[in-house]
Amino acid sequence: MKDPFGRNINYLRISVTDLCNLRCRYCMPKEGVSKTSHDDILSVEEIVEVARIFEGLGIKKIRITGGEPLIRKGIVDILQGIGDLEGIEDLAMTTNGILLKKYAKDLKSAGLNRVNISLDTLDENKYSYITRGGKLIDVLEGIQAAKDAGLVPIKINTVLVGGFNDDEIVDLVKLTDREYIDVRFIELMPIGEAIKYESEHFVSNQMVLEKVPQLIKVEKEDISSPAVYYKLPNGKGKVGLINPVSCKFCAHCNRVRLTAQGKLKLCLHSNDEIDLKDPLRKGQDIEKIIVDAIKLKPESHRLESGEYISKKMYQIGG
Ligand code: SAM
Ligand code: SF4
């Protein structure tokens, strides 16, 4: 599928739930996240059906996200259904890793290729603080379980939070030295909970290069990837820098998003959504709705001019 700006749309991110077993300070409020009624979110079968339609339209890569995807009932069935679609060449997941120990093997058998695991600190007290109660050991065991199950390459996503984890940059980069693990530093984006948080805690990714000057830039394997990659001399894994605000990657954007409520989002930073759930339930032509929607994909986001969206990160999936 080509959008009006000639970009080939071949990547779909599916959020399977708005709920989460953590409460990261920059992502979710401490309290007051209400459970959406069962009927308002896509069922397992509906998610697989929409994925199948997208596959028919040329989507080759799907990432499952959330909220926390591993707390979604039927997550293995969702993976199985999508894993069976022959046109999907890459099936990945973004997770906080807490439940990977329990699910890694089943997810791999169902067809999941690899995982991105979010981890902002290597200190257990700080982990508990930033996630409001999470246990670091669960994530570390989850990472091991993912490796054992062959969910590779493993990518660690670290949101850089000024005054919180900027003192751990060197230790996090070191994770890439002896193992085939990529660590990607993401700049805080002014979305939802983070609008206030961002103004107080934003640090530029450039700090990674300042703290670890020996990093060497490496060629991008995938032009549509938002990360710019580096390596330690002789390091096994890569270090990625993702600067969504200061360094736009819209020109190479190849993705669209589906929320747990069945809304199609053409740009992470736009409020515009196209409903697929009701038309799907009414038996309407979803393929046509998607093809028409792609014509509306904006050329670029306008974050730098302060146009922030009202939806929260945990409702879109990053
Ligand atoms: N719960 C899963 C997890 O944490 O990996 C998947 C959903 S989470 C919303 C996806 C990613 O978005 C995580 O890596 C998280 O750190 C990141 N994220 C959440 N809020 C963010 C913000 N305001 N700025 C940048 N990244 C953010
Ligand atoms: Fe949950 Fe992921 Fe948001 Fe943390 S970043 S609160 S783990 S959805």
Side-chain angles (χ1 to χ4, degrees):
M1 261 184 305
K2 282 262 164 77
D3 79 358
F5 305 97
R7 295 171 296 192
N8 188 21
I9 309 303
N10 56 15
Y11 176 17
L12 172 67
R13 297 174 66 102
I14 303 179
S15 172
V16 292
T17 179
D18 287 351
L19 303 177
C20 189
N21 47 359
L22 297 179
R23 289 286 180 277
C24 300
R25 287 171 187 268
Y26 50 76
C27 180
M28 269 192 154
K30 188 173 171 192
E31 280 153 7
V33 180
S34 50
K35 205 171 171 213
T36 323
S37 110
H38 206 64
D39 211 37
D40 289 338
I41 61 166
L42 293 178
S43 68
V44 169
E45 295 74 23
E46 287 169 337
I47 292 173
V48 175
E49 174 61 6
V50 176
R52 193 190 59 72
I53 295 168
F54 270 103
E55 178 217 19
L57 289 169
I59 292 290
K60 304 254 178 275
K61 172 176 171 183
I62 291 186
R63 175 172 296 279
I64 304 296
T65 176
E68 172 47 40
L70 293 181
I71 63 168
R72 169 72 201 246
K73 221 171 150 208
I75 185 66
V76 177
D77 297 330
I78 293 173
L79 266 302
Q80 186 75 59
I82 299 177
D84 287 345
L85 301 173
E86 283 188 4
I88 302 304
E89 296 164 2
D90 187 13
L91 179 54
M93 176 183 281
T94 300
T95 167
N96 60 31
I98 295 284
L99 290 173
L100 266 180
K101 194 175 163 188
K102 177 173 173 196
Y103 282 115
K105 265 196 195 153
D106 290 347
L107 296 172
K108 178 73 185 175
S109 310
L112 186 68
N113 300 124
R114 56 200 181 84
V115 278
N116 287 13
I117 301 168
S118 302
L119 180 61
D120 298 332
T121 170
L122 299 169
D123 177 287
E124 63 179 297
N125 293 325
K126 283 166 79 177
Y127 186 80
S128 173
Y129 169 79
I130 197 80
T131 60
R132 296 196 183 95
K135 290 200 179 74
L136 178 66
I137 184 74
D138 292 338
V139 190
L140 299 179
E141 289 181 356
I143 294 174
Q144 188 57 47
K147 277 192 228 161
D148 294 345
L151 290 170
V152 287
I154 289 176
K155 293 182 185 171
I156 306 282
N157 284 347
T158 301
V159 176
L160 259 186
V161 181
F164 172 73
N165 60 5
D166 37 357
D167 60 336
E168 290 189 70
I169 289 175
V170 173
D171 291 337
L172 287 157
V173 166
K174 270 192 198 151
L175 295 178
T176 68
D177 203 19
R178 270 156 295 159
E179 288 196 68
Y180 291 100
I181 286 185
D182 293 350
V183 175
R184 306 179 334 147
F185 292 95
I186 305 171
E187 284 177 357
L188 259 179
M189 284 183 257
I191 291 185
E193 286 306 293
I195 292 183
K196 180 162 180 289
Y197 208 82
E198 196 250 8
S199 63
E200 291 162 2
H201 297 276
F202 178 86
V203 266
S204 162
N205 263 335
Q206 288 309 306
M207 191 186 263
V208 176
L209 299 177
E210 282 159 25
K211 294 225 174 186
V212 196
Q214 59 273 42
L215 284 172
I216 305 158
K217 198 165 178 178
V218 292
E219 276 301 306
K220 253 191 191 195
E221 281 161 24
D222 174 4
I223 189 150
S224 65
S225 163
V228 178
Y229 280 106
Y230 298 79
K231 256 188 162 185
L232 283 171
N234 303 318
K236 292 204 162 120
K238 287 180 284 188
V239 176
L241 302 188
I242 303 182
N243 318 23
V245 184
S246 54
C247 182
K248 284 169 106 168
F249 34 85
C250 305
H252 299 292
C253 183
N254 62 343
R255 60 198 63 189
V256 290
R257 295 171 163 82
L258 180 70
T259 69
Q261 283 86 19
K263 310 275 191 222
L264 177 62
K265 284 190 73 73
L266 303 164
C267 171
L268 172 62
H269 300 290
S270 161
N271 279 320
D272 296 341
E273 303 178 330
I274 293 112
D275 182 39
L276 299 184
K277 175 172 63 61
D278 287 349
L280 185 70
R281 290 183 183 169
K282 288 182 187 147
Q284 293 171 359
D285 186 348
I286 301 297
E287 196 174 309
K288 181 171 181 323
I289 295 174
I290 296 170
V291 170
D292 287 345
I294 296 296
K295 294 180 191 149
L296 305 173
K297 186 168 162 69
E299 186 173 13
S300 66
H301 71 64
R302 293 174 48 78
L303 270 182
E304 66 280 20
S305 57
E307 287 185 19
Y308 304 151
I309 58 165
S310 49
K311 259 215 163 115
K312 320 275 192 281
M313 200 64 154
Y314 63 87
Q315 296 171 315
I316 313 169

